[in-house]
Every structure is written in C-alpha cells, then in structure tokens.
Amino acid sequence: MCVNDINRDQMMAEDIQHNQKSNFNGLTKPAKAGASKKLIIKNFKDRPKLTDSYTEDTWLKLRDAVGAIQNSTSIQYNLEELYQAVENLCSYKVSPMLYKQLRQVCEDHVRAQIHQFREESLDSLSFLKRMNRCWQDHCRQTIMIRSIFLFLDRTYVLQNSLLPSIWDTGLELFRTHIVSDSGVQSRTVEGILEQIERERNGETVDRSLLRSLLGMLSDLQVYKDSFEQRFLTETTRLYAAEGQRLMQDRDVPEYLHHVARRLEEENDRVISYLDQSTQKPLIAAVEKQLLGEHMTAILQKGLRTLLDESRECELTLLYELFNKVKSGLTALLQSWREYIKSSGGEIVSSPEKDKEMVQELLDFKDKMDLVSQRCFQRNDTFINAMKEAFENFINKRPNKPAELIAKYVDSKLRAGNKEATEEELERILDKIMIIFRFIHGKDVFEAFYKKDLAKRLLVGKSASVDAEKSMLSKLKHECGAAFTSKLEGMFKDMELSKDVMIQFKQNQTDPSNIELTVNILTMGYWPSYIPMDVHLPAEMVKLQEVFKLFYLGKHSGRKLQWQPTLGHAVLKTEFKEGKKELQVSLFQTLVLLIFNEADECSVEEIRTATGIEDGELKRTLQSLACGKARVLNKTPRGKEVEDADRFHFNSDFRHKLFRIKINQIQMKETVEEQVSTTERVFQDRQYQIDAAVVRIMKMRKTLSHNLLVSELYNQLKFPVKPADLKKRIESLIDRDYMERDKENANQYHYVA
C-alpha cells in the first residue's frame, strides 16, 4: 500500500487496535541489499549498555521493527506485542532513553535519504516525483512508527512540553535534513514554479503531485519563506508582461473576458493545490497587474464603445472587475460621469438636432438607467453621479431645452396624437418630468407650456382632460402650487365659461341663427394676445353685444376684449353633392361668408371685406384653396397665394364625410415670437429678483452685499448671474427702496 494523501490529524488519532487490523505485509516492498543489516549493526554499536536484559532485548526488537518499517520490509513481530513492549519499557522508567534512541534511529534514516536527490541527471518533473515519493514514504513510516510507540507519545512526550511529538519529530527531521538543503529546496521550488507556469500557458500538469508537494512545504512550515514569496514574484512578472501585451493586441471586451478567466483560473489553483493563505495576495497581484495598472487605458479605450453599443454583459463584467481593485470604482464613476456629460452635451448643444432633442434625451436617460440598474448593481453613487451629469449638460444651453420640453409635452397632449394609449402617455409624462427636474430655468418651460396649453384648451385640441390634469398635478408636485397657479386658473376659466354659457342661453330671449359659445379668459392667467380688428357680419356683432350686456350685467366693473384670432365656427354649406358642415376658424368663416354674396373675388377684395391682416389672410386662403379640402378654387392654380390670384366657390367639392374639418395652415413660430416669449420670461425674472431683494432687506434691515447675494441664490428658483443681481440692486437703490452705507459701500440699508 502506498500512501498518497496524508490526513495528518486522522493519522495521529489512530488507535493501536485499528493498526492491528491492517495488513502490514501489504506495505512491504523489496529492500535494498545490505541496507537493513548495516543499519542494525550501526545502531547496535551506538546504543548504550543496558543493565536490564529484558529492557535491552525489548529495545532490539523495537529497533528491528522500526528498521523494517523504514526499509519497507516485513515486520517479524506482532504489532500488539510491540505496543505492549513499549508500554513495559515506559513502566521501567526508561522513557527518556527510549525516546532518544528512537529519534536517533529515525534521524540516521532520514539523513541517508538526501543522497538520492544529488543526481544532476534528473529532469525537473522526475525530481519532483522522487521528492513526493520520499515524502509520502516518510509520512507512512512515521505513522507506523508512532502507532507502535503510541504509549510513549501519549505519556512521556505529552508530559514534557519541550519535547516534540513523534509525528512532529518526523517533520522536523525531514525539514532539517531534506527540505532545508539549499540545493534540494531550490530544485523543488523551481520545479513547482515551472509546472505552474506550464499550466498557466495551457499545458496539462499533474495537480495531485503539486498538491502533495505544496502540502509538504506547508506541513514543514517552509511554504511562505521558500515558496510563496517567489511564487508571487513570478506571478507579478508574468501578468505584468501579459497585461502590457494584451492591452495593445486586444480590444477592451476581449481583454475583460481574459482577465475574468485568469482570475477564475487562479482561484481554481488555490482550491486545487495552493495553500489557502496564498489566495488573497495572489488574487491581489493578478488584479493589480491586469486591472490596476491599466484602469485608465481600459476606460479611455473601451468605456465609450461599451456604453454606445449598450453591451450590458461587458459593462457588468467591467463593474465587477473594477470593484475588486483599489480606486477602481472611483475611476469608473468619473469616466461614467464624463461620458454622460459629453454624450448629453452633443444632444443639447446642436441646434440642428433641436427637433429630436427631447426624444433623444429621453432615450439617453432610459439607456443610462438600464446601465446603472443592470450593470452597476443600482449603486447609489453612480445613480447620483448620473443625475449630476444630466443637470450639468442640460443647462449648458440656457432656455432652449426648457422650451423644447414644453413643445414636446404639447405634441403628446394634443388631439390627434395616436402614438400612445393612456397608460403609455402617463409613462411618457413621468419620463418627461424626470428630464424636467434637471432644468434650472423652469420659468421658461412654464411660459412656453402655458402658451401651448392655451391653444389646446381654446381650440379644443387637447387629447385628454385627464392627461392634462395629470401633467398639471406632476408639475405642482415638482415645483409647488405657486408654479401651477396660473395654469390651474386657465382650467378654472374654461369650467366657469361653461357655466356662464348655460346661464346666457337660459336668459336669451331673442333666438338667433348663430349658436354662440364664449370663453371668458382672465387676462393674468393666459398668454397675452395681440388684438386684431376684423369685420364681423352684422348678426355676429349683434350677438356679441347681447352677450356683453348679459355678462357685464352680472359682473360690473369688468372689461371684455374680444380675441377673433382664437375663434372658430361650424358652417352649414350646400354643394352639388349635398349638404356638408365645415369646421373652420373664424378667419376662414369670414372668407367663406363672402361667397354667399359674390361668385368670384380677388385677394384685395377679400382683404377689404374681412379686414384680416395680409399674412394671416394668405394663410387662410391657402388652407381653403390649396389644401386637401378645397372648398374654393384659385386662379391660377398653385400652392402659394399671390396678390393677383382670384377665388371662386367650388360647388363641385366632394368628400366622404358630412362634417369636414379644414385645418388652418399654422404659421411656424417665428424667431421673433420665441424671442418675445423669452424676453417676457426675462422681464418676469427682473420682477422676482426685485421682490426678493425688497423682501430680504425688509426683514434684515441691514445686510452686506455678499450675504444679500447668498440669500438671493437661496430664494430664487432660476439661474441668475451675479452681474444681473448687481444691476437689480442698483436699480432698487435708484428707486429709493434701499441705500448704501455711507462708510461701507458693500453694506446696504432698507429704506422704509
């Protein structure tokens, strides 16, 4: 029987009765000629003269048994008899002599083993196998010897704390005379390192051999000093070279998978044959050389590509690997933040991308959310960094993102938007609110949103009142009641107008052919509209006066100002095909009513009859004569309306529907209108700054310039430059709301 794997704790706990049952004849193998005889003669000469014949005979018997075990020959005596003999000797009070003689015999045998390792012709692997065989034999022999001398081990040795046990003595002798030999130790360690390097290069090696030899070094307590330091040095050298080479030859995804595979292999080596204590420094060395030394290069070379292509697998791997390295996540976090700023900045800063900006921002946010959740383990630090980066880049271009977000909301809430169900629309609005949170100039959003909301409410183009109120609720929750007060006032006006119209119709004594509906708008809530005087039919004017008398009779002191630009009507029309209803704007109505009296009109005649401004008139005629529903014919034909064109009623008009909506050709919002809206926002900001300054000074009475500016930044909810604040403060000083201190120009006093 050859002992390959030695469980020392189990062996040391063996009882003599267990050894009795073993077939010790099976342990025998041919002994070298003359070895046993020579050993006996030498030991016989060296042993001390014993006065007791029984003791002397017993020792000879025990020495022969030990020699047989060491030379792998048959033991001539019964094991129980040998065990009893040791017990008897111990009772003769000769335990010290017995322990000393046993150690001497074992030491002589171990010392003799060193010669087999002096052969220079042995190759590395053969040397390792011979060393392993010697070690296994030594362990087996020590176990057998200890089983015979168990009584000595458990009495005399146990009572003398300075004496090593028989097993420990065996280890000490092997360490001293075999492994501590510089040549033997060097060849053993170099052979093991060579085998490990071969395995790292893809070759197959005998792992059980490595496990046994490294276990030997560990048992002999020379593992760290003789092997581990050199092993870690070689590991560092290997992976330093490999990291440099592969970073140049491979792309980042491939490199990351290679690093993960290498770490898995090294962990497997620890499990298979390395000592557990080596795991931490080994993995740290691999991570440092393959990751730590190349973090910047990996991030610069591959992070943008991984994020652009949404490679979730590699991004997850990147996060997990960088999490293992000191400052790895910090470096990844910084690069992630810079990527968001850079990519988001490209979306926001390109005027040619304005049409798609909001949708691209929403898609980009969704993409980054997925990365943070699926790849970065919902790490709060990364999520917060993403929010900071979004807030940074989205405000690089003042006002425009806020304006475009308002227009995007308008496109989703406007009637005719069939892209989404109510549930999908709600999800879209939630996503928009996330982007909205990042905007500093929320008052710009409010201005454009209010203008678009007014159109939807007045022209009846709102897709869903529920969706409108849901958006309003979200804005209120995000910005507070003051932000949405005017918007809520617009909805309130629409509801009150319905009640007013019910009362008006109930009190109307003189029935009219025209069914009038009026929306009463509170001027402070709604956007300002430029008044336009047009020539209404007499019956319309009469009906307006009737309503005016009714309304002012109920609300004295109020003033009504009619806004024809926002009006619309339904006209009953007769064509050759039959009767139809045309749903048109008030301007379209005025143009069409002319053809009740005239068969054909020029542009100038229509302008004179209606009083509509030239640009608005041409767009109106274009919608009636050049669109899909051509209820007027234009001469000459064409898509544009010129001053020389003439128009006549198209009695041959056909359409499958009874009620036909003729869309007014919308004039695209001009640069001037956009500037006008932005200027109104700027003017409102001046008022808010003035009010905030006065409010602070009234409360504090006296304040330094720096403290006043600091207080203003805390109170104002829009971005403002220090220079603008200084101008407003100077303006208030000029208007005697406050004054400078006569001795300290940076000190202000409130003027009551």
Side-chain angles (χ1 to χ4, degrees):
M1 184 175 73
C2 181
V3 182
N4 289 323
D5 291 311
I6 307 298
N7 187 328
R8 190 174 68 215
D9 294 335
Q10 181 181 352
M11 292 171 176
M12 292 183 69
E14 282 184 42
D15 194 84
I16 188 63
Q17 283 80 4
H18 172 74
N19 287 319
Q20 274 185 295
K21 296 176 184 176
S22 302
N23 180 8
F24 289 104
N25 290 326
L27 292 169
T28 62
K29 60 167 115 168
K32 293 181 181 178
S36 178
K37 185 176 179 182
K38 182 178 180 182
L39 180 61
I40 291 171
I41 292 170
K42 182 179 179 183
N43 287 340
F44 182 81
K45 287 173 67 178
D46 291 345
R47 73 176 171 79
K49 300 293 183 182
L50 297 175
T51 55
D52 190 292
S53 61
Y54 173 77
T55 303
E56 184 175 357
D57 291 342
T58 303
W59 164 245
L60 289 174
K61 187 189 296 184
L62 291 170
R63 186 191 61 188
D64 291 344
V66 171
I69 292 170
Q70 291 173 337
N71 293 288
S72 300
T73 57
S74 299
I75 302 174
Q76 303 300 320
Y77 307 100
N78 181 277
L79 288 177
E80 189 173 354
E81 181 184 336
L82 293 171
Y83 180 86
Q84 189 62 51
V86 172
E87 186 176 348
N88 291 339
L89 286 176
C90 290
S91 64
Y92 265 69
K93 309 295 184 185
V94 292
S95 297
M97 179 277 298
L98 183 61
Y99 180 82
K100 183 179 179 182
Q101 290 285 52
L102 176 61
R103 180 185 174 92
Q104 187 63 50
V105 170
C106 292
E107 187 170 9
D108 291 342
H109 174 74
V110 173
R111 189 183 284 117
Q113 302 304 309
I114 192 69
H115 302 294
Q116 62 181 306
F117 301 109
R118 303 294 190 196
E119 294 182 32
E120 296 294 334
S121 60
L122 278 177
D123 63 74
S124 172
L125 183 58
S126 300
F127 181 87
L128 292 180
K129 288 180 177 178
R130 180 172 290 185
M131 171 59 73
N132 184 52
R133 186 165 59 250
C134 180
W135 166 247
Q136 297 291 351
D137 288 346
H138 177 75
C139 290
R140 178 179 57 80
Q141 293 160 11
T142 305
I143 291 166
M144 292 292 293
I145 291 169
R146 180 183 179 276
S147 66
I148 294 171
F149 289 86
L150 191 62
F151 190 84
L152 175 69
D153 206 32
R154 289 183 174 176
T155 55
Y156 171 71
V157 176
L158 197 61
Q159 292 166 2
N160 290 269
S161 59
L162 297 178
L163 294 178
S165 67
I166 292 172
W167 172 262
D168 289 341
T169 300
L171 295 181
E172 178 192 332
L173 294 174
F174 198 88
R175 178 174 61 245
T176 302
H177 299 294
I178 304 294
V179 175
S180 292
D181 182 272
S182 59
V184 173
Q185 187 178 111
S186 177
R187 290 192 70 182
T188 303
V189 171
E190 286 175 4
I192 294 172
L193 292 174
E194 181 184 334
Q195 292 298 305
I196 293 174
E197 185 170 356
R198 285 186 174 183
E199 187 181 45
R200 283 172 169 166
N201 291 332
E203 297 181 34
T204 303
V205 298
D206 187 350
R207 284 191 159 196
S208 62
L209 173 64
L210 294 175
R211 180 167 59 247
S212 178
L213 290 171
L214 290 169
M216 172 192 77
L217 296 178
S218 183
D219 288 343
L220 298 176
Q221 298 180 348
V222 297
Y223 178 86
K224 282 193 175 295
D225 294 336
S226 65
F227 170 76
E228 188 177 76
Q229 288 305 316
R230 282 198 60 190
F231 171 66
L232 293 175
T233 301
E234 289 299 310
T235 298
T236 300
R237 179 191 60 77
L238 170 73
Y239 285 121
E242 183 174 280
Q244 291 286 352
R245 186 179 73 255
L246 294 183
M247 271 306 296
Q248 295 178 358
D249 297 344
R250 299 187 181 183
D251 59 18
V252 169
E254 191 179 359
Y255 183 80
L256 292 174
H257 284 293
H258 175 80
V259 173
R261 186 169 60 253
R262 280 302 201 189
L263 288 171
E264 188 178 346
E265 289 171 0
E266 296 303 332
N267 275 307
D268 186 48
R269 284 188 186 94
V270 174
I271 294 169
S272 298
Y273 52 77
L274 293 170
D275 191 87
Q276 194 65 34
S277 64
T278 307
Q279 183 176 26
K280 191 172 180 180
L282 169 62
I283 299 303
V286 178
E287 288 171 349
K288 184 176 186 297
Q289 296 307 320
L290 293 184
L291 290 172
E293 298 293 333
H294 305 288
M295 283 194 300
T296 304
I298 290 171
L299 293 171
Q300 289 179 349
K301 186 178 178 183
L303 182 61
R304 173 170 284 276
T305 303
L306 296 180
L307 289 169
D308 285 344
E309 297 176 4
S310 298
R311 298 181 65 164
E312 292 182 12
C313 177
E314 284 76 14
L315 285 168
T316 303
L317 182 58
L318 176 68
Y319 179 87
E320 290 172 351
L321 292 175
F322 272 53
N323 196 17
K324 299 174 186 290
V325 186
K326 183 181 179 182
S327 302
L329 286 189
T330 304
L332 177 58
L333 179 70
Q334 183 61 29
S335 296
W336 152 261
R337 186 188 286 114
E338 292 304 320
Y339 170 81
I340 295 174
K341 287 181 182 178
S342 171
S343 300
E346 291 174 9
I347 296 172
V348 170
S349 60
S350 305
E352 62 273 11
K353 288 186 177 181
D354 281 356
K355 286 185 179 179
E356 297 83 25
M357 180 197 290
V358 180
Q359 188 58 55
E360 286 189 19
L361 284 174
L362 292 174
D363 294 341
F364 185 55
K365 182 65 168 58
D366 285 344
K367 184 177 174 181
M368 295 301 99
D369 282 340
L370 282 177
V371 172
S372 64
Q373 290 169 13
R374 295 182 183 177
C375 307
F376 295 165
Q377 300 177 3
R378 301 177 186 270
N379 187 315
D380 288 340
T381 309
F382 279 77
I383 292 172
N384 291 333
M386 174 177 66
K387 291 177 181 177
E388 291 170 11
F390 264 84
E391 188 173 352
N392 177 278
F393 78 72
I394 210 167
N395 291 293
K396 289 280 186 177
R397 188 180 176 194
N399 302 337
K400 199 62 181 180
E403 174 192 337
L404 294 175
I405 290 172
K407 293 184 181 303
Y408 184 85
V409 174
D410 176 57
S411 71
K412 296 300 177 185
L413 293 178
R414 196 185 302 145
N417 173 34
K418 299 177 182 177
E419 297 174 14
T421 62
E422 288 186 11
E423 293 78 11
E424 289 171 342
L425 180 57
E426 189 70 18
R427 281 198 295 273
I428 290 170
L429 294 180
D430 285 335
K431 289 180 180 180
I432 289 171
M433 288 307 299
I434 293 172
I435 302 295
F436 172 75
R437 288 190 188 106
F438 300 132
I439 295 172
H440 289 164
K442 291 182 171 61
D443 50 349
V444 176
F445 170 88
E446 181 195 12
F448 284 95
Y449 181 81
K450 183 167 75 171
K451 191 170 71 170
D452 293 331
L453 174 62
K455 287 182 183 177
R456 294 197 300 274
L457 293 178
L458 296 175
V459 188
K461 284 191 174 182
S462 184
S464 164
V465 175
D466 290 338
E468 294 282 7
K469 291 190 174 180
S470 172
M471 184 63 189
L472 199 61
S473 173
K474 295 178 196 301
L475 290 170
K476 188 173 184 178
H477 181 266
E478 184 65 31
C479 304
F483 184 84
T484 56
S485 60
K486 291 182 180 180
L487 303 177
E488 288 174 331
M490 292 166 71
F491 280 96
K492 190 175 179 181
D493 280 352
M494 297 302 291
E495 291 170 4
L496 289 175
S497 296
K498 290 178 184 177
D499 296 336
V500 170
M501 289 314 301
I502 291 171
Q503 295 174 19
F504 173 69
K505 288 175 182 177
Q506 289 173 348
N507 295 333
Q508 195 172 4
T509 55
D510 187 14
S512 171
N513 293 330
I514 302 174
E515 186 178 337
L516 179 68
T517 301
V518 180
N519 289 316
I520 313 294
L521 313 181
T522 305
M523 191 169 286
Y525 294 158
W526 297 77
S528 56
Y529 300 102
I530 299 171
M532 185 183 295
D533 289 328
V534 293
H535 304 155
L536 297 176
E539 197 169 351
M540 274 190 179
V541 174
K542 180 183 176 183
L543 205 52
Q544 277 186 348
E545 289 300 320
V546 171
F547 179 81
K548 183 176 179 181
L549 288 171
F550 163 78
Y551 184 78
L552 296 181
K554 284 188 170 293
H555 305 282
S556 60
R558 295 188 181 180
K559 182 181 178 182
L560 288 179
Q561 184 182 64
W562 297 93
Q563 289 289 353
T565 53
L566 303 173
H568 53 90
V570 176
L571 297 180
K572 293 179 180 179
T573 315
E574 288 188 20
F575 298 98
K576 288 181 180 179
E577 186 186 34
K579 292 182 179 180
K580 301 281 185 185
E581 288 186 356
L582 303 179
Q583 191 173 341
V584 289
S585 70
L586 182 60
F587 291 160
Q588 290 172 326
T589 301
L590 297 179
V591 170
L592 289 174
L593 289 176
I594 292 173
F595 292 93
N596 281 336
E597 308 296 333
D599 293 330
E600 186 175 290
C601 294
S602 66
V603 173
E604 183 58 36
E605 289 170 343
I606 296 172
R607 184 186 298 116
T608 303
T610 61
I612 300 173
E613 177 266 329
D614 189 58
E616 193 67 54
L617 177 62
K618 286 187 176 180
R619 282 191 297 276
T620 301
L621 289 170
Q622 196 176 9
S623 67
L624 296 171
C626 307
K628 291 181 179 178
R630 300 185 180 185
V631 292
L632 295 181
N633 285 330
K634 182 174 82 76
T635 306
R637 291 182 175 278
K639 290 186 177 181
E640 299 296 328
V641 174
E642 305 295 341
D643 290 339
D645 291 347
R646 298 190 67 81
F647 296 86
H648 64 271
F649 183 68
N650 181 15
S651 58
D652 296 324
F653 175 77
R654 294 175 178 275
H655 203 283
K656 61 181 179 180
L657 298 178
F658 175 72
R659 176 173 283 195
I660 304 140
K661 183 176 182 180
I662 302 177
N663 291 322
Q664 177 82 353
I665 292 181
Q666 296 293 324
M667 179 179 64
K668 290 184 179 178
E669 191 174 44
T670 62
V671 175
E672 290 77 12
E673 284 182 308
Q674 291 180 354
V675 170
S676 173
T677 305
T678 306
E679 284 179 352
R680 281 201 301 274
V681 171
F682 180 75
Q683 191 61 49
D684 288 342
R685 286 181 178 181
Q686 310 305 304
Y687 298 145
Q688 289 183 54
I689 294 171
D690 289 354
V693 172
V694 172
R695 190 164 54 247
I696 293 168
M697 291 304 300
K698 187 175 183 180
M699 183 175 65
R700 303 290 289 273
K701 304 302 181 187
T702 300
L703 209 58
S704 69
H705 177 79
N706 290 339
L707 285 176
L708 176 57
V709 170
S710 177
E711 287 275 1
L712 286 170
Y713 276 124
N714 290 333
Q715 290 194 18
L716 297 173
K717 296 181 179 179
F718 49 83
V720 59
K721 296 176 182 177
D724 293 333
L725 292 179
K726 192 172 181 181
K727 286 179 183 177
R728 300 319 305 159
I729 292 170
E730 294 293 342
S731 172
L732 289 170
I733 291 173
D734 292 342
R735 288 179 281 160
D736 294 331
Y737 282 94
M738 52 196 287
E739 63 182 8
R740 290 186 189 277
D741 189 271
K742 294 177 181 178
E743 296 180 359
N744 185 356
N746 281 326
Q747 193 90 357
Y748 303 117
H749 300 290
Y750 176 67
V751 178

